[in-house]
Amino acid sequence: SKQRKMTGVKGWVVAQDLDGKSQQIYRDEKTGISCKPDVVERGRIVEYKSAAVNGRARQSDVLQVAAQMIATKANTAELRYGNDQRFTYGKNSPQMQTAMKSIGEIIRKMQWHLCNRAIPQGKPSARKCAVCCFKRDCPEADRGYH
């Protein structure tokens, strides 16, 4: 119960991927979203981030949680950061509805690119390219990022 309290678990844990070794993948057939949330409870997910934030969740993390809510059919989610900042979202909250709309737009763009066999324009940066496994073959690499 001490570990449950430390991790913020409130309900019955259906699955967890805190160690990155879980084989449980959640998929939404309609959107094509697949994910492995850190903790999945009945109707709720918890996503942990090691980063520290100052009073506001990062937008990319909110989008990730929105996609996970879609794939797991969760009604609520909690986003937790390394400095113990916590953000709770309901499926019908205005912020989550906006994030889910953004996810829908991203999915439509991805489907268009797949159907038209068109590679989307990249947004390279020194930081992204430094860890990219395609940097040797990437046409964007000539910008001096690899």
Side-chain angles (χ1 to χ4, degrees):
S1 73
K2 184 179 177 182
Q3 285 181 322
R4 289 173 66 86
K5 190 175 182 179
M6 269 181 39
T7 58
V9 172
K10 294 179 181 176
W12 186 262
V13 175
V14 177
Q16 65 86 19
D17 189 42
L18 293 168
D19 59 2
K21 297 178 182 178
S22 173
Q23 300 298 315
Q24 177 67 48
I25 298 173
Y26 290 86
R27 289 187 175 90
D28 180 62
E29 297 301 321
K30 182 181 173 190
T31 60
I33 294 173
S34 297
C35 68
K36 287 173 48 176
D38 290 332
V39 176
V40 179
E41 298 174 4
R42 290 182 185 159
R44 178 177 180 258
I45 60 167
V46 182
E47 184 64 26
Y48 294 90
K49 299 293 180 187
S50 59
V53 295
N54 291 324
R56 194 170 158 193
R58 296 185 311 194
Q59 185 60 23
S60 59
D61 297 336
V62 175
L63 290 175
Q64 178 184 0
V65 167
Q68 290 177 345
M69 288 179 78
I70 292 168
T72 62
K73 312 288 190 265
N75 291 319
T76 60
E78 185 173 324
L79 181 55
R80 300 181 81 185
Y81 287 94
N83 61 339
D84 207 30
Q85 292 273 319
R86 300 174 189 190
F87 303 91
T88 303
Y89 303 98
K91 186 177 180 179
N92 296 320
S93 69
Q95 188 174 11
M96 196 48 59
Q97 287 294 303
T98 300
M100 288 184 179
K101 184 178 177 184
S102 294
I103 292 293
E105 291 168 7
I106 292 167
I107 289 168
R108 281 188 288 284
K109 286 178 187 176
M110 290 174 68
Q111 288 171 338
W112 183 90
H113 284 287
L114 285 170
C115 289
N116 292 292
R117 296 182 164 280
I119 299 172
Q121 182 70 32
K123 295 179 183 174
S125 70
R127 190 177 211 173
K128 288 180 186 176
C129 293
V131 296
C132 181
C133 59
F134 299 106
K135 62 186 169 191
R136 287 186 174 38
D137 301 316
C138 180
E140 302 289 331
D142 63 353
R143 293 188 186 178
Y145 292 122
H146 78 297

